[in-house]
Amino acid sequence: KEGRAAAACSVAALKYMFMYSVLQLVSVSFLYNFGCNLSDGQFLFVDLFLIIPLGVLMGETEASDYLCEQNPPRRLTDRRVLYSAIGQGILMLAFQLLLMAYLRNLGYWPPLESIQSQIGKTGDLLDKNELVTAVFLYVNFQYVWSCWVFNLGPPFRKFYKSNKGYAITLYLATFFCAVLTLCPPDVISKLLRMKDLPMSCRIALTALAFVNLGTCLILEVHVNRLGTGSTARGTQWFP
């Protein structure tokens, strides 16, 4: 049981590292296209308060009490690993495209002339406007969701709620991301160089993020059931 749990944990960690890198690469590349970038405080917040705590604690989940007939993935080319990593990646990027289309509809894509003018004056990329703020707030949720869906637990590990430290950190990260999106304190907004957004936009970002979570959970549960038919004894899947 311990060996299976360790193998499943290693694969989950690799998938999380892959997903985190892809999410940041795509979102930052999108911002670069408009002469923008996340601020230093925003990068620090993501690494210090989201990625590191979740990455450290997710491996503390204990092995399942029950053995199932299915073996954990033995190689990274296993179809369960590929379906999960590639499927979640496509799903996350699809929601980022929806976000970008929504922001364009709001008129948050800055004109090329204003970008060239601003960069010409300062020589730096823009890190404080509505576009940067919206992308930062939304992708924060995706960092948390990717860790959540890759570490549900069954069938080789216990349900993630059994890992109290990880579960509390996961819920706190979700709560802080929601607060940061819906009603950020002025001090935090200044430290992270966030632009004020209308409440309708903030609510739309939060709603889209939670729809994103739901679809990711459904996909991951389906992938985890491949080759097992039904769920293993004692298995819970959803939060």
Side-chain angles (χ1 to χ4, degrees):
K1 292 186 292 185
E2 294 292 341
R4 291 183 170 204
C9 180
S10 298
V11 171
L14 284 170
K15 290 192 293 184
Y16 180 48
M17 291 168 60
F18 162 77
M19 188 60 62
Y20 159 62
S21 302
V22 169
L23 290 174
Q24 189 165 89
L25 172 66
V26 173
S27 59
V28 171
S29 297
F30 170 73
L31 292 176
Y32 269 30
N33 190 52
F34 294 95
C36 303
N37 194 15
L38 301 179
S39 68
D40 292 340
Q42 290 169 350
F43 276 118
L44 184 63
F45 172 83
V46 170
D47 290 336
L48 197 58
F49 295 103
L50 297 181
I51 304 302
I52 292 178
L54 293 173
V56 168
L57 293 172
M58 70 182 186
E60 299 298 320
T61 306
E62 296 179 352
S64 174
D65 293 328
Y66 305 98
L67 285 174
C68 66
E69 295 179 359
Q70 183 186 24
N71 290 321
R74 297 177 181 178
R75 57 188 185 277
L76 294 179
T77 54
D78 187 286
R79 64 172 183 163
R80 289 166 293 173
V81 177
L82 295 178
Y83 288 172
S84 175
I86 296 175
Q88 294 292 354
I90 292 173
L91 199 55
M92 290 288 193
L93 297 182
F95 273 91
Q96 282 199 15
L97 289 175
L98 287 176
L99 169 69
M100 295 166 190
Y102 174 68
L103 296 178
R104 182 177 184 180
N105 187 57
L106 291 179
Y108 287 166
W109 288 22
L112 181 61
E113 294 77 12
S114 65
I115 296 172
Q116 292 174 335
S117 174
Q118 182 67 28
I119 294 177
K121 291 178 181 178
T122 64
D124 297 323
L125 296 173
L126 306 178
D127 62 3
K128 186 177 181 180
N129 57 28
E130 291 85 356
L131 181 64
V132 174
T133 300
V135 170
F136 166 70
L137 293 174
Y138 185 79
V139 178
N140 282 345
F141 282 110
Q142 290 192 316
Y143 293 139
V144 179
W145 298 166
S146 59
C147 188
W148 195 333
V149 298
F150 289 144
N151 291 276
L152 293 176
F156 307 109
R157 293 185 290 169
K158 290 182 179 179
F159 194 46
Y160 75 89
K161 286 183 180 179
S162 66
N163 183 349
K164 302 298 183 184
Y166 170 70
I168 291 172
T169 303
L170 190 66
Y171 295 147
L172 284 176
T174 302
F175 173 76
F176 286 137
C177 287
V179 169
L180 206 59
T181 303
L182 294 171
C183 51
D186 292 339
V187 175
I188 302 299
S189 294
K190 291 179 181 178
L191 286 174
L192 298 181
R193 293 184 58 79
M194 296 196 307
K195 195 79 170 178
D196 189 33
L197 299 175
M199 182 53 68
S200 59
C201 178
R202 295 180 181 276
I203 293 174
L205 292 177
T206 306
L208 184 64
F210 278 91
V211 172
N212 192 169
L213 172 62
T215 55
C216 287
L217 285 171
I218 292 171
L219 173 63
E220 193 65 19
V221 168
H222 175 72
V223 171
N224 285 340
R225 286 175 172 172
L226 286 176
T228 62
S230 59
T231 55
R233 182 185 175 191
T235 293
Q236 290 177 294
W237 290 96
F238 285 108

